[in-house]
Amino acid sequence: MTVGAAPVTVADAPRDRAGVGAVYRVEIAKIRAQLLPRAAAVICLLAPFAFAIFINTQSSVPADWLFGRWVQSSGFATPFVLLGFAGIAGFPLIASVVAGDIFASEDRQSTWKTVLTRSCSRGQIFVGKTLAAMTFSVVMVALLGLSSTIAGMLVVGRQPLVGLSGELLDQTRAITLIVASYGLALVPTLAFTCLAILFSVTTRNSMAGVIGAPVVALLMVGLSLMGSGVVVRSILLTSPFDAWHGLQISPVTSKAIWIGLLVSLAYGALSLIVAWRSFRRRDFAGDGQAPFRWSTFGRAVVATVVLVGILLVGTLLSETWITSTHLEASVSQTLGNLIVVQQQILGRELDPAAVKVYPYCKRESVISGVSSGPADDWTCQVFVDGPHVSRLAADYSIAVRPDGCYTADAPAALVGPLHMKTPDGGTTINPLSAFDSCMIAP
Amino acid sequence: MTVDLALGVRNLQKVFGDVRAIDGLDVDVAAGKVHGLVGPNGAGKTTLLRILFGLVAPDAGRLTLLGREIDDVGERSADGVGGFVEEPRFYPYLTARRNLELMADLDGGGEARIDEVLGTVRLEDRADRKVGGFSSGMRQRLGLAASLLRAPRLLLLDEPTVGLDPTGARDMLAIVETLASDGVTVIVSSHNMSELEGVCDGVTVMREGRAVWHGSMARLREESPAPAHRLETSDDVHATELAKNDGGLEVVADPGGWLTVSADRDVLDDYVVALGTAGIAIRRLELLMTALESMFFSLTGEPAEPAPASRKPDEISAGR
């Protein structure tokens, strides 16, 4: 025994192999201990309440956003409005907070040598970290959905909501649709999680890892606003964030959901395969985060510009699927349901089949020829025939977005004022004065 | 399982870009011994340890750890092997204890030994403080604690005394000796030959990715040249002339204005007496390089870490 040394026990027994479960537990413990993931969780928890309170103190509503016109009328509109906002870059950013940092942080803190000299293989570490990042994404999406629903119900109330098909959604149906819609949003969110992992592994830089996926998301959103071509739109990872629209139109369509699922799977699998190949072959020959290199950054920018340029040309050259025929079919279906809803509010039962809606839609800027494409100069002349509404005629101004969703407004002189009286003396929004709906790409 | 050879390396090669970090290295380390890896910066010590830990995959060569040939180097750290490479690093936002708990989880067990290993490295009082506030030396000690959690049979330590104060360095080397007495094979890298002198049974001197000397510490001492001393006198010219009559003595004038005297202890004693007899005053006499440091210099072509300047007078002639 020498000076200063306490006795040390040396075990001869072979150690149990740690596995993916151990890595997963360790990563979850680290996530829970870090400031940024905690802050993200707090934001997902409190932001919906702040939004609901703020929007209900305003004199106007975000009427150009899906369900925006209903945020002061039904608490169930709040989760749908926030779902639309988050689909732009919110979910990719939430996914990147952990996924973009989970590999690069080991470089930043020089802890790879600490982790890799334990009993776990690189494969187990990769899978464990990936699962932990995905868990965080799932929890954040669920937290946002839950928090926004509770915030809407507490701040605004549990009034029925007019859905995208023009049908009235009671509490049970609204909550079911909220759960299903946020569930669908999880799929592309997990794909963005995989993309952020790819950035984290390959750049070895936390900043690049965290902002990489949201930047890609913003570029994709920008591309999707440039045109409405079906092919390019289908291969963008941001498009599956809109798949929930298909749950609310009538009849319900699952095509966009399946396409979104396949696209998300493709992005996720490809990202993880490339990330794993990079991680498995890597020599951990030094410490510290990868330094910023202008040459690498320049190559990445050039590659991105070329890729975006190709997709942009493809988008602009693609023939639009948004035509007057599609719009008329959607308006006819939606308005027919809305008339039934309006009559229900007025205490009159109406057979939906008895209501006939005849829309004629065109773009104001098109003098001759076929009207098509996303624009805010669409008008639909609508003639309605049926009990209680015989020979109703209205001109709706319609703004159609590249994703096929639109907002429609009619003059009060033709369909009545924005608010109307109910038989019990209350006031509610006149569902015919303005409505939102979506067309689904063929 | 009983193994005679804790580490066997054959024709190991690793190239990073244009740099040949390991160039046909052969090293054997017997089980239960403390073995030193010494060499200047860039000699390949740390790269070798990174390969042994599985952090870096070699380009060619065979590797045997604790009797098992490792054919999946780079996939996982081998069973029974613990230690650290360069300065140990941990999660700064977690306490020392929490870091060790996570490390134990990644090893599939070992939580029960956390208090014991914290006590071994004398960090029990700081166990519940966040590692972000730890000094380099405390991280070094925590690194050793994390290594001991694995109950290793082969411990690899890369420059374990870097960042430690003299007491900490002494404790660290004492722990190494204790582990060795318990049967653990320890491989310690350092660029300070004198530091390893007292603890190592054997040593490999590396230079440019190759082993330029490999053997027991006793044989290294036998083959080492005489220690070097710095001598300042009242008459350097006469002192140099006086040395020419003694075959075991080499005196060279240094451009810095002093004489470098290479000699064994007995020869140096006689020379000092002779200087006095000749009426030459000795103004300064200090150890420049021990015998092992001189050997290091001759093998690697690099200046060794200088001997401590504050050695006591009686240490001066005990250089070998």
Side-chain angles (χ1 to χ4, degrees):
Chain A
M1 184 66 192
T2 322
V3 198
V8 173
T9 307
V10 178
D12 288 328
R15 307 189 65 77
D16 293 331
R17 273 263 191 260
V20 170
V23 180
Y24 179 79
R25 282 192 302 275
V26 166
E27 292 303 323
I28 292 296
K30 284 160 56 184
I31 290 168
R32 291 176 61 183
Q34 290 179 80
L35 188 63
L36 202 56
R38 284 182 178 180
V42 170
I43 289 171
C44 285
L45 191 66
L46 298 183
F49 285 91
F51 172 79
I53 292 168
F54 172 77
I55 211 77
N56 277 279
T57 59
Q58 304 299 303
S59 57
S60 60
V61 291
D64 54 348
W65 205 262
L66 283 184
F67 290 102
R69 67 181 78 252
W70 302 105
V71 287
Q72 293 178 345
S73 309
S74 169
F76 299 117
T78 303
F80 287 118
V81 171
L82 288 176
L83 184 60
F85 285 149
I88 295 176
F91 284 137
L93 182 61
I94 288 171
S96 299
V97 165
V98 165
D101 191 45
I102 199 163
F103 284 85
S105 65
E106 306 283 4
D107 287 293
R108 192 179 73 246
Q109 295 159 352
S110 302
T111 42
W112 273 126
K113 59 192 179 190
T114 310
V115 176
L116 291 169
T117 52
R118 311 316 295 189
S119 299
C120 300
S121 70
R122 291 194 186 190
Q124 289 167 338
I125 289 169
F126 185 84
V127 174
K129 280 179 173 285
T130 300
L131 290 177
M134 286 182 166
T135 300
F136 178 80
S137 296
V138 170
V139 170
M140 289 305 105
V141 171
L143 197 60
L144 188 67
L146 185 68
S147 175
S148 59
T149 305
I150 293 173
M153 289 166 70
L154 288 180
V155 175
V156 184
R158 290 182 280 179
Q159 304 86 340
L161 177 68
V162 178
L164 295 181
S165 63
E167 293 171 313
L168 208 56
L169 308 176
D170 61 14
Q171 180 174 319
T172 306
R173 180 115 188 269
I175 289 177
T176 304
L177 280 174
I178 290 168
V179 171
S181 300
Y182 274 80
L184 285 178
L186 250 183
V187 177
T189 303
L190 289 177
F192 271 107
T193 304
C194 299
L195 191 62
I197 285 172
L198 173 63
F199 277 109
S200 188
V201 170
T202 54
T203 65
R204 305 175 192 179
N205 184 296
S206 292
M207 183 66 81
V210 171
I211 68 169
V215 167
V216 169
L218 286 173
L219 286 173
M220 287 182 171
V221 168
L223 274 170
S224 69
L225 292 175
M226 296 289 181
S228 55
V230 176
V231 176
V232 173
R233 174 172 291 276
S234 296
I235 62 171
L236 298 178
L237 188 51
T238 45
S239 297
F241 283 121
D242 297 333
W244 60 275
H245 299 163
L247 297 174
Q248 295 209 12
I249 65 164
S250 182
V252 169
T253 173
S254 60
K255 186 180 177 186
I257 295 171
W258 287 113
I259 291 175
L261 187 65
L262 288 175
V263 168
S264 300
L265 272 175
Y267 273 91
L270 194 64
S271 298
L272 289 184
I273 288 169
V274 175
W276 164 240
R277 286 175 62 87
S278 171
F279 182 67
R280 188 187 61 179
R281 293 185 307 184
R282 180 177 169 188
D283 275 339
F284 292 87
D287 286 346
Q289 186 165 253
F292 179 83
R293 288 195 175 91
W294 279 106
S295 56
T296 308
F297 179 71
R299 281 199 293 271
V301 169
V302 169
T304 305
V305 167
V306 169
L307 187 61
V308 169
I310 291 170
L311 290 173
L312 184 60
V313 170
T315 299
L316 296 175
L317 292 181
S318 298
E319 193 175 341
T320 182
W321 61 274
I322 297 173
T323 60
S324 53
T325 308
H326 273 104
L327 185 58
E328 285 164 2
S330 177
V331 167
S332 172
Q333 180 72 48
T334 306
L335 204 56
N337 289 332
L338 284 171
I339 288 168
V340 174
V341 168
Q342 187 200 43
Q343 294 306 309
Q344 280 177 342
I345 292 171
L346 295 171
R348 301 167 187 155
E349 284 303 317
L350 196 60
D351 179 11
V355 180
K356 305 294 181 190
V357 180
Y358 304 100
Y360 171 69
C361 301
K362 67 181 289 288
R363 288 181 60 181
E364 290 291 304
S365 58
V366 176
I367 307 299
S368 63
V370 180
S371 293
S372 64
D376 57 3
D377 64 344
W378 282 90
T379 58
C380 287
Q381 285 183 310
V382 183
F383 302 95
V384 183
D385 194 10
H388 310 299
V389 289
S390 58
R391 298 187 186 284
L392 172 66
D395 285 352
Y396 280 89
S397 299
I398 295 185
V400 181
R401 299 193 327 211
D403 62 357
C405 291
Y406 60 90
T407 55
D409 295 271
L414 294 174
V415 296
L418 179 63
H419 292 95
M420 62 186 213
K421 292 282 184 187
T422 56
D424 59 3
T427 303
T428 188
I429 283 187
N430 176 4
L432 294 188
S433 68
F435 62 91
D436 306 329
S437 190
C438 289
M439 297 174 276
I440 299 298
Chain B
M1 184 172 69
T2 306
V3 288
D4 298 328
L5 210 59
L7 170 66
V9 173
R10 290 287 173 276
N11 192 30
L12 197 67
Q13 297 182 35
K14 180 66 187 177
V15 176
F16 293 114
D18 298 332
V19 179
R20 198 167 278 277
I22 300 288
D23 187 11
L25 183 69
D26 294 317
V27 176
D28 286 337
V29 176
K33 301 292 185 185
V34 180
H35 191 83
L37 283 178
V38 293
N41 291 336
K45 309 183 297 289
T46 300
T47 300
L48 173 60
L49 291 180
R50 284 184 181 273
I51 290 173
L52 298 182
F53 275 124
L55 295 169
V56 168
D59 297 328
R62 284 176 55 203
L63 199 61
T64 307
L65 285 170
L66 298 170
R68 287 192 297 273
E69 188 156 342
I70 307 298
D71 51 11
D72 60 346
V73 179
E75 171 54 21
R76 76 164 79 231
S77 186
D79 286 342
V81 178
F84 55 79
V85 60
E86 296 184 311
E87 188 183 342
R89 300 300 288 264
F90 296 89
Y91 302 111
Y93 47 85
L94 298 176
T95 65
R97 184 185 301 282
R98 189 69 179 129
N99 265 290
L100 292 184
E101 286 170 355
L102 298 188
M103 296 304 111
D105 206 0
L106 290 177
D107 276 335
E111 290 87 348
R113 301 188 64 225
I114 287 176
D115 285 329
E116 178 194 336
V117 296
L118 281 169
T120 299
V121 299
R122 304 196 184 289
L123 276 179
E124 60 270 57
D125 295 341
R126 312 268 170 84
D128 296 315
R129 291 190 190 176
K130 288 188 177 175
V131 174
F134 274 25
S135 67
S136 174
M138 288 161 69
R139 280 203 298 271
Q140 205 84 345
R141 284 191 275 161
L142 187 59
L144 182 60
S147 307
L148 297 179
L149 268 185
R150 300 193 76 192
R153 285 176 289 141
L154 172 59
L155 186 64
L156 309 173
L157 301 176
D158 189 15
E159 309 264 6
T161 57
V162 166
L164 296 177
D165 57 27
T167 307
R170 184 195 62 192
D171 286 353
M172 178 71 79
L173 295 175
I175 291 169
V176 167
E177 289 184 338
T178 306
L179 288 166
S181 69
D182 286 337
V184 177
T185 307
V186 185
I187 296 177
V188 192
S189 86
S190 178
H191 57 277
N192 187 343
M193 182 68 105
S194 61
E195 179 182 84
L196 299 183
E197 190 177 351
V199 291
C200 289
D201 302 300
V203 67
T204 297
V205 182
M206 292 182 68
R207 177 185 179 183
E208 294 174 352
R210 289 174 172 273
V212 291
W213 198 93
H214 179 77
S216 69
M217 190 60 84
R219 188 161 69 86
L220 183 68
R221 286 195 191 96
E222 284 172 13
E223 295 179 7
S224 295
H229 300 82
R230 171 176 170 158
L231 175 66
E232 291 178 25
T233 69
S234 57
D235 185 354
D236 285 355
V237 174
H238 197 180
T240 306
E241 287 292 321
L242 203 60
K244 286 179 179 172
N245 300 327
D246 194 330
L249 191 64
E250 183 184 351
V251 177
V252 179
D254 190 278
W258 65 81
L259 300 175
T260 300
V261 180
S262 299
D264 287 332
R265 183 175 60 184
D266 296 342
V267 176
L268 183 66
D269 288 348
D270 293 342
Y271 181 56
V272 169
V273 171
L275 287 174
T277 306
I280 301 170
I282 296 174
R283 294 174 175 162
R284 186 177 187 182
L285 176 61
E286 66 181 11
L287 184 65
L288 273 181
M289 279 190 285
T290 66
L292 289 179
E293 287 163 353
S294 297
M295 183 69 168
F296 179 92
F297 181 77
S298 66
L299 288 171
T300 65
E302 298 277 339
E305 188 84 357
S310 58
R311 289 191 180 182
K312 295 174 185 175
D314 61 341
E315 287 181 313
I316 290 176
S317 58
R320 182 160 189 176

